[in-house]
Amino acid sequence: MRKPKWKTNLYIALMLAPALLLTMGIIVYPIINTVIRSFSSPEDGSFTLANYVFLLTDDVSMENIAYTLWIVVVTVVLSILISYVLALYLRFYDTKISKFIGTIYLLPRFVPSLVAVYAMITIIRDSGFLNRVSRLFGYNFKPGLMYNARGIILMNLWFNIAFATMIIVAALSSIPDSMVESARDVGARKINVFLNMILPLSFKDVMVAMTFIFMSNVSSFTTPFVMGGNNPIMLGVYLRKQFSEYSNYEIAAALSVIMFLFSSVSAIIYIYTNLKEKEWEKAN
């Protein structure tokens, strides 16, 4: 005898209730509370836009926002370019070097971020490993990569190239060798095969990699806090200052919402790319 449908639905709802309540408690409530507080006056809790007006008109805040976006965009572009070239090499060249790189290129993903940052500092600081090696040859080479954007970007590349390469290699692996060989057999040049076949077929996965790199770096904290300068600073460090040092909780909440909106832009691009791919699949 089959159970009534309402009993089945009730059973499913009871099973899902703990997970739903947990999600509401640790994800949804903090987000709602942050949005509400971002529109609240610190004096009496009344509705106000002053927190956003301050962040979008204050010279220091705008400089920090521009500084963050510039670092993130440069990180995304360089990570994708380097990762794509590396992924092409790993996918289409079967050599001992490519096999060796294919074995170790994911190692940075297993190194804790703080450990990696301090390891990089011992190498690139002006009195670090590179400087000591240069002194052995009579030079005094100082990389000048600490406490500025160049050092942060270098560290971001360390974290993101392995991740982006992994995604792009997976995309390129789905392209059959026979398809590439057929194009070559009919006279297509390598550049034409790449532009008309490989690049379009891997475009969606490149967008996925770009989306996740953008989102993870726009709110990054460890690298800019340890390796960055005092002015300008990235938004993650600026948020921490507003919250912990200045006790500007409402401005910190507004800054959190702005960072969330920046991440949402990349998420929208990701969703749009997926929808366009599904439309393309239906059309074909």
Side-chain angles (χ1 to χ4, degrees), residues 5-209:
K5 190 174 181 180
W6 70 269
K7 286 188 176 181
T8 303
N9 292 337
L10 179 61
Y11 177 75
I12 294 174
L14 290 175
M15 292 294 290
L16 294 177
L20 182 62
L21 290 174
L22 188 63
T23 302
M24 293 287 290
I26 66 176
I27 298 178
V28 178
Y29 171 73
I31 291 176
I32 294 175
N33 184 56
T34 299
V35 173
I36 293 174
R37 192 151 195 177
S38 70
F39 289 101
S40 301
S41 168
E43 286 79 20
D44 55 8
S46 60
F47 176 82
T48 180
L49 295 174
N51 302 317
Y52 290 97
V53 172
F54 170 78
L55 289 173
L56 298 177
T57 57
D58 180 68
D59 291 340
V60 175
S61 297
M62 289 303 296
E63 190 176 10
N64 291 335
I65 292 173
Y67 181 69
T68 300
L69 292 178
W70 181 75
I71 287 180
V72 172
V73 170
V74 172
T75 297
V76 170
V77 172
L78 291 180
S79 296
I80 293 300
L81 288 176
I82 297 172
S83 299
Y84 207 104
V85 173
L86 180 59
L88 286 171
Y89 178 69
L90 294 177
R91 169 63 180 86
F92 294 107
Y93 287 85
D94 186 18
T95 65
K96 291 182 179 178
I97 296 177
S98 67
K99 290 178 180 176
F100 176 72
I101 296 175
T103 304
I104 66 168
Y105 83 92
L106 281 176
L107 285 181
R109 301 296 300 172
F110 298 96
V111 180
S113 58
L114 198 55
V115 174
V117 169
Y118 277 108
M120 184 66 77
I121 289 174
T122 61
I123 295 173
I124 66 171
R125 65 183 177 184
D126 288 347
S127 59
F129 177 75
L130 294 177
N131 178 261
R132 293 174 187 174
V133 171
S134 71
R135 288 187 178 187
L136 295 176
F137 298 95
Y139 298 97
N140 187 21
F141 174 63
K142 294 183 178 181
L145 294 173
M146 287 299 299
Y147 312 119
N148 55 51
R150 296 192 300 274
I152 297 175
I153 293 171
L154 178 65
M155 199 67 236
N156 288 344
L157 295 178
W158 160 273
F159 287 123
N160 293 297
I161 285 176
F163 169 73
T165 302
M166 179 180 66
I167 292 180
I168 298 172
V169 164
L172 297 180
S173 298
S174 65
I175 301 174
D177 290 336
S178 58
M179 184 183 294
V180 178
E181 292 168 357
S182 299
R184 294 284 293 154
D185 289 342
V186 296
R189 294 187 301 172
K190 289 184 178 180
I191 186 65
N192 291 332
V193 173
F194 172 73
L195 293 176
N196 299 315
M197 185 180 295
I198 297 175
L199 187 59
L201 290 175
S202 59
F203 178 75
K204 190 206 77 170
D205 298 275
V206 171
M207 293 301 296
V208 172

